Amino acid sequence: MNRIVLIKDTAKPIVRQTADWFISQNDRVYLAVTRLPDHPDADVNYLVFDPFCEESLSLAAAGLKEQEGRLDILILGTSRTVHDGEIGTQHNYDQMLDVMMENVYGNLQTVQAFEPLLKCGMKRIAGIVDIESSNNYAVQADDMAYHASAAAFNMMGKVLFNHLRPDGFTFRWYCEDEKQVGICAAEYIAAALCYDEKEPYTHSDE
């Protein structure tokens, strides 16, 4: 298919599974990392940048533009970097802020930096989340910081939809399930879904 795909590496197995699927479709895949791994994988390309550094983001976007000329799909995700306590227990608020910054602000900055390149491609933004990002279906009481940031990540997706859908952007938000039923994340993200004008606008092409 020769799509250009940029995936945020959250260190979750589903990231590599998603990358492998796109590679099997002859797409060019880049993993967004803050530093190169000690043992780089020859099957993927790495795009190194700091999402909290404007200069780093600009250089990465410029490099991808020079290399590919466009970006078709940007896949975001959340990282579980700090294991926080249960709600109502003592929390390290500095660590909680770091988690929120990583999973919400860092993703938003990435979207803003690569938005011009996405406009040159198929204009698709995706998110890979898990069941613990849901306000209604989360069952764990620990890791308050991660749960709060993952829920905020979902809301960020809705805000981006409202902002960019009129410009032709399409969105795919995939919830990872341990049962692994149905289509995989990559298949859903790549799918061309229907648009039914009788459906609510937030379901447009979803």
Side-chain angles (χ1 to χ4, degrees):
M1 293 293 292
N2 296 316
R3 289 167 293 211
I4 310 301
V5 183
L6 175 60
I7 309 175
K8 178 185 177 183
D9 189 359
T10 61
K12 295 178 180 178
I14 195 171
V15 170
R16 184 65 226 207
Q17 294 164 9
T18 302
D20 286 343
W21 187 92
F22 279 107
I23 291 170
S24 74
Q25 304 298 306
N26 295 318
D27 298 317
R28 189 183 297 274
V29 174
Y30 289 82
L31 285 184
V33 296
T34 55
R35 68 176 182 84
L36 283 175
D38 295 331
H39 303 286
D41 195 320
D43 291 339
V44 299
N45 304 282
Y46 293 92
L47 195 62
V48 182
F49 61 87
D50 178 357
F52 302 109
C53 175
E54 184 176 344
E55 181 181 6
S56 178
L57 277 167
S58 297
L59 287 173
L64 188 61
K65 180 179 181 179
E66 181 178 356
Q67 188 73 23
E68 305 292 352
R70 73 183 196 280
L71 176 60
D72 293 304
I73 304 174
L74 173 62
I75 304 175
L76 309 169
T78 54
S79 303
R80 194 185 289 261
T81 54
V82 174
H83 290 278
D84 192 35
E86 293 188 10
I87 296 173
T89 61
Q90 187 67 37
H91 301 284
N92 184 319
Y93 292 107
D94 289 335
Q95 285 186 344
M96 291 181 70
L97 179 60
D98 288 343
V99 174
M100 293 294 291
M101 291 291 287
E102 166 85 16
N103 288 335
V104 184
Y105 186 69
N107 279 302
L108 179 60
Q109 289 288 91
T110 301
V111 171
Q112 292 174 339
F114 290 95
E115 181 183 335
L117 271 181
L118 285 163
K119 288 181 176 179
C120 298
M122 61 183 288
K123 298 182 179 180
R124 179 154 301 168
I125 298 173
I128 297 178
V129 297
D130 53 48
I131 200 70
E132 300 305 326
S133 70
S134 169
N135 289 328
N136 294 322
Y137 294 102
V139 295
Q140 295 180 351
D142 61 343
D143 273 355
M144 176 184 173
Y146 175 77
H147 286 82
S149 69
F153 174 81
N154 286 341
M155 183 55 66
M156 181 198 73
K158 283 186 172 288
V159 173
L160 288 171
F161 176 92
N162 292 336
H163 178 61
L164 294 174
R165 184 69 180 96
D167 293 333
F169 279 76
T170 54
F171 292 79
R172 303 285 185 270
W173 238 243
Y174 183 89
C175 184
E176 181 183 10
D177 192 328
E178 292 181 357
K179 298 177 182 178
Q180 294 184 336
V181 296
I183 64 176
C184 69
E187 288 179 286
Y188 176 69
I189 290 169
L193 304 180
C194 68
Y195 169 62
D196 185 347
E197 63 182 13
K198 293 178 290 185
E199 284 287 317
Y201 183 65
T202 54
H203 294 174
S204 171
D205 191 49
E206 283 291 343

